[in-house]
Amino acid sequence: MASPFTHQPVLLDEALEWLALRPGAVVVDGTVGGGGHAAGILERTAPGGRLIAFDLDPEALAAARERLAPYGARVRFEHASFRALGAALDAHGIDAVDAVLLDLGVSSPQLDESRRGFRFGADTADETPLDMRMDPSRGRDASALLAEASAEELARWFHEYGDLPGSRRLARAIVAARAVAPLRSAADLLRVIRESGVGRGRRHHPATQVFQALRIAVNDEIGALAEGLGAAIGALRPSGRLVVIAYHSGEDRVVKQRLRDEARGCGCPPRQPVCTCGRRARLRVLTRRPVRPGEGEIARNPRARSARLRAAERLAEQAA
């Protein structure tokens, strides 16, 4: 039976172009999802190109295995976060790769399956568990975080990951509510959001920002991104390309700053006459501004609206 996990890849043509693929290239897809970008990569690197495909979500990985089965041994699958990229490549005996793609965030199938806990549709809220883990077999779910985190931690997540006005007020409301009864379903959390008055009168439902912030916290997505970027840059061979697609402003800021730092090199104070840190540039940033989806793609896939693609190239003189 065909997998129900289907996902429309965002900025597919743009990602493939910026990756600058060639036949025989060795490529990492750090978030293979349903395999949409991966199939394009394998087509462009045929006949001898290889792909190492990572994903934390076992359902996504199963779907990718099914979709990419025609490519046979050209694909190696890793049930892991792309933050483990370096160790996985070492285990496969791969010293360097030609390109790395990181397509961040959550996929449409994950959002659409209420049992995963990423969504807050009113019609299914009572049955929707507060899970939000990319890999349901690992780590603490959103319900556990809501039960254990301090008001300060909750407020920081809502502010930094959700840009939510009233973050402290909602955090205090959650702490008060959990003292009465644990928050286990989407309906439980929606009730607290509503009663706290956070986001009242705004265009978008405040739960959108709350659920996004919790998902990022549950999966340590910012921490994984920081580690994954370092691993990806370190794995690239001379002239290798890194392409990152982000959907959240916080993620995009991390990517932008890391690429800028790696392109600048020396981190000594500006007024210091001689460099003492010894750090040199490892990247050349290729996208002065992020690449955004066109109107046609947004019309076909509204969830692509917030996507921002950034690309960089590894400098040969600094490659290992």
Side-chain angles (χ1 to χ4, degrees):
M1 185 176 71
S3 169
F5 195 107
T6 56
H7 177 59
Q8 186 173 351
V10 173
L11 291 168
L12 174 60
D13 292 338
E14 294 85 349
L16 296 176
E17 287 301 318
W18 284 107
L19 287 168
L21 302 170
R22 57 175 175 75
V26 180
V27 184
V28 169
D29 186 339
T31 46
V32 70
H37 288 108
I41 290 169
L42 288 161
E43 289 293 331
R44 293 211 179 188
T45 59
R50 291 182 291 158
L51 178 73
I52 301 89
F54 289 76
D55 210 291
L56 261 177
D57 189 329
E59 294 182 13
L61 209 58
R65 287 181 187 276
E66 183 177 303
R67 179 169 186 174
L68 303 178
Y71 300 98
R74 291 179 58 201
V75 190
R76 296 180 181 180
F77 296 95
E78 292 287 336
H79 180 201
S81 165
F82 56 73
R83 73 197 309 168
L85 187 155
L89 294 180
D90 287 343
H92 287 301
I94 299 173
D95 295 327
V97 300
D98 297 290
V100 177
L101 171 66
L102 303 179
D103 183 17
L104 309 176
V106 64
S107 67
S108 293
Q110 291 166 328
L111 285 171
D112 293 339
E113 285 287 341
S114 60
R115 62 185 172 78
R116 300 297 301 272
F118 293 109
R119 59 176 296 181
F120 56 90
D123 55 335
T124 57
D126 286 324
E127 295 79 33
T128 299
L130 288 173
D131 194 318
M132 305 189 193
R133 290 172 294 175
M134 296 294 186
D135 183 349
S137 69
R138 306 181 190 181
R140 297 180 299 169
D141 62 14
S143 178
L145 254 66
L146 288 170
E148 300 165 8
S150 67
E152 291 74 19
E153 287 177 305
L154 291 168
R156 180 175 63 83
W157 294 337
F158 297 147
H159 174 68
E160 293 183 7
Y161 304 156
D163 298 319
L164 180 72
S167 295
R168 292 181 181 177
R169 191 187 342 154
L170 178 59
R172 291 193 296 268
I174 288 172
V175 171
R178 75 189 186 193
V180 178
L183 306 179
R184 293 200 173 100
S185 71
D188 295 334
L189 182 53
L190 287 172
R191 184 185 66 255
V192 178
I193 294 171
R194 183 177 62 254
E195 292 175 354
S196 73
V198 169
R200 189 171 292 161
R202 293 175 64 85
R203 177 182 172 189
H204 298 292
H205 198 301
T208 302
Q209 296 157 284
V210 174
F211 274 62
Q212 172 182 276
L214 283 175
R215 187 206 82 220
I216 291 173
V218 164
N219 296 287
D220 188 26
E221 293 178 33
I222 301 300
L225 177 57
E227 290 182 28
L229 286 172
I233 294 165
L236 288 172
R237 68 175 77 255
S239 300
R241 294 285 183 92
L242 169 65
V243 171
V244 185
I245 304 173
Y247 302 83
H248 173 251
S249 59
E251 291 175 330
D252 186 57
R253 281 194 296 269
V254 171
V255 176
K256 178 182 178 180
Q257 189 61 53
R258 183 59 180 267
L259 298 189
R260 180 181 292 173
D261 290 346
E262 295 286 357
R264 182 168 51 237
C266 175
C268 294
R271 295 184 180 181
Q272 184 171 308
V274 179
C275 173
T276 56
C277 72
R279 185 173 134 192
R280 297 184 179 180
R282 294 198 295 170
L283 293 180
R284 178 169 67 96
V285 177
L286 302 174
T287 48
R288 184 176 178 183
R289 295 179 178 177
V291 177
R292 306 294 295 263
E295 292 181 3
E297 179 169 8
I298 293 172
R300 294 189 302 272
N301 179 15
R303 286 174 176 165
R305 185 182 303 277
S306 61
R308 283 158 282 196
L309 181 153
R310 296 185 186 271
E313 182 178 75
R314 180 76 191 255
L315 295 176
E317 62 269 24
Q318 298 304 320

mmCIF file with all atom_site columns, all heavy atoms in Angstrom, residues 176-188:
data_model
loop_
_atom_site.group_PDB
_atom_site.id
_atom_site.type_symbol
_atom_site.label_atom_id
_atom_site.label_alt_id
_atom_site.label_comp_id
_atom_site.label_asym_id
_atom_site.label_entity_id
_atom_site.label_seq_id
_atom_site.pdbx_PDB_ins_code
_atom_site.Cartn_x
_atom_site.Cartn_y
_atom_site.Cartn_z
_atom_site.occupancy
_atom_site.B_iso_or_equiv
_atom_site.pdbx_formal_charge
_atom_site.auth_seq_id
_atom_site.auth_comp_id
_atom_site.auth_asym_id
_atom_site.auth_atom_id
_atom_site.pdbx_PDB_model_num
ATOM 1  N N   . ALA A 1 176 ? -0.490 28.247 36.229 1.00 0.00 ? 176 ALA A N   1
ATOM 2  C CA  . ALA A 1 176 ? -1.672 28.193 37.101 1.00 0.00 ? 176 ALA A CA  1
ATOM 3  C C   . ALA A 1 176 ? -2.602 27.060 36.700 1.00 0.00 ? 176 ALA A C   1
ATOM 4  O O   . ALA A 1 176 ? -3.132 26.339 37.560 1.00 0.00 ? 176 ALA A O   1
ATOM 5  C CB  . ALA A 1 176 ? -2.419 29.528 37.046 1.00 0.00 ? 176 ALA A CB  1
ATOM 6  N N   . ALA A 1 177 ? -2.800 26.862 35.394 1.00 0.00 ? 177 ALA A N   1
ATOM 7  C CA  . ALA A 1 177 ? -3.723 25.826 34.920 1.00 0.00 ? 177 ALA A CA  1
ATOM 8  C C   . ALA A 1 177 ? -3.208 24.427 35.226 1.00 0.00 ? 177 ALA A C   1
ATOM 9  O O   . ALA A 1 177 ? -3.977 23.549 35.625 1.00 0.00 ? 177 ALA A O   1
ATOM 10 C CB  . ALA A 1 177 ? -3.948 25.988 33.412 1.00 0.00 ? 177 ALA A CB  1
ATOM 11 N N   . ARG A 1 178 ? -1.902 24.206 35.071 1.00 0.00 ? 178 ARG A N   1
ATOM 12 C CA  . ARG A 1 178 ? -1.365 22.856 35.295 1.00 0.00 ? 178 ARG A CA  1
ATOM 13 C C   . ARG A 1 178 ? -1.375 22.479 36.770 1.00 0.00 ? 178 ARG A C   1
ATOM 14 O O   . ARG A 1 178 ? -1.292 21.296 37.123 1.00 0.00 ? 178 ARG A O   1
ATOM 15 C CB  . ARG A 1 178 ? 0.034  22.749 34.713 1.00 0.00 ? 178 ARG A CB  1
ATOM 16 C CG  . ARG A 1 178 ? 1.120  23.430 35.521 1.00 0.00 ? 178 ARG A CG  1
ATOM 17 C CD  . ARG A 1 178 ? 2.447  23.485 34.789 1.00 0.00 ? 178 ARG A CD  1
ATOM 18 N NE  . ARG A 1 178 ? 3.512  24.008 35.616 1.00 0.00 ? 178 ARG A NE  1
ATOM 19 C CZ  . ARG A 1 178 ? 4.706  24.385 35.147 1.00 0.00 ? 178 ARG A CZ  1
ATOM 20 N NH1 . ARG A 1 178 ? 4.977  24.291 33.842 1.00 0.00 ? 178 ARG A NH1 1
ATOM 21 N NH2 . ARG A 1 178 ? 5.641  24.838 35.966 1.00 0.00 ? 178 ARG A NH2 1
ATOM 22 N N   . ALA A 1 179 ? -1.457 23.471 37.651 1.00 0.00 ? 179 ALA A N   1
ATOM 23 C CA  . ALA A 1 179 ? -1.565 23.175 39.078 1.00 0.00 ? 179 ALA A CA  1
ATOM 24 C C   . ALA A 1 179 ? -2.923 22.571 39.403 1.00 0.00 ? 179 ALA A C   1
ATOM 25 O O   . ALA A 1 179 ? -3.082 21.863 40.413 1.00 0.00 ? 179 ALA A O   1
ATOM 26 C CB  . ALA A 1 179 ? -1.351 24.453 39.894 1.00 0.00 ? 179 ALA A CB  1
ATOM 27 N N   . VAL A 1 180 ? -3.901 22.816 38.533 1.00 0.00 ? 180 VAL A N   1
ATOM 28 C CA  . VAL A 1 180 ? -5.245 22.269 38.723 1.00 0.00 ? 180 VAL A CA  1
ATOM 29 C C   . VAL A 1 180 ? -5.390 20.928 38.012 1.00 0.00 ? 180 VAL A C   1
ATOM 30 O O   . VAL A 1 180 ? -5.911 19.955 38.578 1.00 0.00 ? 180 VAL A O   1
ATOM 31 C CB  . VAL A 1 180 ? -6.311 23.258 38.196 1.00 0.00 ? 180 VAL A CB  1
ATOM 32 C CG1 . VAL A 1 180 ? -7.708 22.671 38.341 1.00 0.00 ? 180 VAL A CG1 1
ATOM 33 C CG2 . VAL A 1 180 ? -6.197 24.589 38.927 1.00 0.00 ? 180 VAL A CG2 1
ATOM 34 N N   . ALA A 1 181 ? -4.911 20.858 36.769 1.00 0.00 ? 181 ALA A N   1
ATOM 35 C CA  . ALA A 1 181 ? -4.999 19.627 35.978 1.00 0.00 ? 181 ALA A CA  1
ATOM 36 C C   . ALA A 1 181 ? -3.955 19.680 34.870 1.00 0.00 ? 181 ALA A C   1
ATOM 37 O O   . ALA A 1 181 ? -3.679 20.761 34.328 1.00 0.00 ? 181 ALA A O   1
ATOM 38 C CB  . ALA A 1 181 ? -6.392 19.475 35.370 1.00 0.00 ? 181 ALA A CB  1
ATOM 39 N N   . PRO A 1 182 ? -3.355 18.537 34.525 1.00 0.00 ? 182 PRO A N   1
ATOM 40 C CA  . PRO A 1 182 ? -2.333 18.530 33.470 1.00 0.00 ? 182 PRO A CA  1
ATOM 41 C C   . PRO A 1 182 ? -2.929 18.898 32.113 1.00 0.00 ? 182 PRO A C   1
ATOM 42 O O   . PRO A 1 182 ? -4.105 18.634 31.839 1.00 0.00 ? 182 PRO A O   1
ATOM 43 C CB  . PRO A 1 182 ? -1.818 17.086 33.484 1.00 0.00 ? 182 PRO A CB  1
ATOM 44 C CG  . PRO A 1 182 ? -2.919 16.285 34.100 1.00 0.00 ? 182 PRO A CG  1
ATOM 45 C CD  . PRO A 1 182 ? -3.576 17.193 35.096 1.00 0.00 ? 182 PRO A CD  1
ATOM 46 N N   . LEU A 1 183 ? -2.099 19.500 31.268 1.00 0.00 ? 183 LEU A N   1
ATOM 47 C CA  . LEU A 1 183 ? -2.508 19.849 29.907 1.00 0.00 ? 183 LEU A CA  1
ATOM 48 C C   . LEU A 1 183 ? -2.066 18.714 28.991 1.00 0.00 ? 183 LEU A C   1
ATOM 49 O O   . LEU A 1 183 ? -0.869 18.527 28.764 1.00 0.00 ? 183 LEU A O   1
ATOM 50 C CB  . LEU A 1 183 ? -1.860 21.174 29.477 1.00 0.00 ? 183 LEU A CB  1
ATOM 51 C CG  . LEU A 1 183 ? -2.077 22.365 30.408 1.00 0.00 ? 183 LEU A CG  1
ATOM 52 C CD1 . LEU A 1 183 ? -1.354 23.588 29.873 1.00 0.00 ? 183 LEU A CD1 1
ATOM 53 C CD2 . LEU A 1 183 ? -3.560 22.650 30.575 1.00 0.00 ? 183 LEU A CD2 1
ATOM 54 N N   . ARG A 1 184 ? -3.029 17.961 28.495 1.00 0.00 ? 184 ARG A N   1
ATOM 55 C CA  . ARG A 1 184 ? -2.690 16.768 27.711 1.00 0.00 ? 184 ARG A CA  1
ATOM 56 C C   . ARG A 1 184 ? -3.147 16.846 26.259 1.00 0.00 ? 184 ARG A C   1
ATOM 57 O O   . ARG A 1 184 ? -2.612 16.147 25.409 1.00 0.00 ? 184 ARG A O   1
ATOM 58 C CB  . ARG A 1 184 ? -3.303 15.527 28.369 1.00 0.00 ? 184 ARG A CB  1
ATOM 59 C CG  . ARG A 1 184 ? -2.695 15.182 29.722 1.00 0.00 ? 184 ARG A CG  1
ATOM 60 C CD  . ARG A 1 184 ? -2.958 13.735 30.085 1.00 0.00 ? 184 ARG A CD  1
ATOM 61 N NE  . ARG A 1 184 ? -2.251 13.349 31.293 1.00 0.00 ? 184 ARG A NE  1
ATOM 62 C CZ  . ARG A 1 184 ? -2.798 13.269 32.501 1.00 0.00 ? 184 ARG A CZ  1
ATOM 63 N NH1 . ARG A 1 184 ? -4.082 13.573 32.661 1.00 0.00 ? 184 ARG A NH1 1
ATOM 64 N NH2 . ARG A 1 184 ? -2.089 12.891 33.544 1.00 0.00 ? 184 ARG A NH2 1
ATOM 65 N N   . SER A 1 185 ? -4.149 17.643 25.967 1.00 0.00 ? 185 SER A N   1
ATOM 66 C CA  . SER A 1 185 ? -4.680 17.715 24.604 1.00 0.00 ? 185 SER A CA  1
ATOM 67 C C   . SER A 1 185 ? -4.600 19.133 24.066 1.00 0.00 ? 185 SER A C   1
ATOM 68 O O   . SER A 1 185 ? -4.416 20.098 24.812 1.00 0.00 ? 185 SER A O   1
ATOM 69 C CB  . SER A 1 185 ? -6.140 17.245 24.576 1.00 0.00 ? 185 SER A CB  1
ATOM 70 O OG  . SER A 1 185 ? -6.984 18.205 25.202 1.00 0.00 ? 185 SER A OG  1
ATOM 71 N N   . ALA A 1 186 ? -4.761 19.232 22.750 1.00 0.00 ? 186 ALA A N   1
ATOM 72 C CA  . ALA A 1 186 ? -4.798 20.557 22.127 1.00 0.00 ? 186 ALA A CA  1
ATOM 73 C C   . ALA A 1 186 ? -5.931 21.390 22.707 1.00 0.00 ? 186 ALA A C   1
ATOM 74 O O   . ALA A 1 186 ? -5.797 22.605 22.881 1.00 0.00 ? 186 ALA A O   1
ATOM 75 C CB  . ALA A 1 186 ? -4.946 20.415 20.614 1.00 0.00 ? 186 ALA A CB  1
ATOM 76 N N   . ALA A 1 187 ? -7.048 20.751 23.016 1.00 0.00 ? 187 ALA A N   1
ATOM 77 C CA  . ALA A 1 187 ? -8.185 21.469 23.601 1.00 0.00 ? 187 ALA A CA  1
ATOM 78 C C   . ALA A 1 187 ? -7.813 22.087 24.947 1.00 0.00 ? 187 ALA A C   1
ATOM 79 O O   . ALA A 1 187 ? -8.236 23.210 25.260 1.00 0.00 ? 187 ALA A O   1
ATOM 80 C CB  . ALA A 1 187 ? -9.374 20.530 23.753 1.00 0.00 ? 187 ALA A CB  1
ATOM 81 N N   . ASP A 1 188 ? -7.023 21.373 25.750 1.00 0.00 ? 188 ASP A N   1
ATOM 82 C CA  . ASP A 1 188 ? -6.594 21.898 27.045 1.00 0.00 ? 188 ASP A CA  1
ATOM 83 C C   . ASP A 1 188 ? -5.780 23.173 26.864 1.00 0.00 ? 188 ASP A C   1
ATOM 84 O O   . ASP A 1 188 ? -5.991 24.177 27.563 1.00 0.00 ? 188 ASP A O   1
ATOM 85 C CB  . ASP A 1 188 ? -5.747 20.861 27.795 1.00 0.00 ? 188 ASP A CB  1
ATOM 86 C CG  . ASP A 1 188 ? -6.527 19.620 28.181 1.00 0.00 ? 188 ASP A CG  1
ATOM 87 O OD1 . ASP A 1 188 ? -7.758 19.720 28.341 1.00 0.00 ? 188 ASP A OD1 1
ATOM 88 O OD2 . ASP A 1 188 ? -5.895 18.546 28.323 1.00 0.00 ? 188 ASP A OD2 1
#
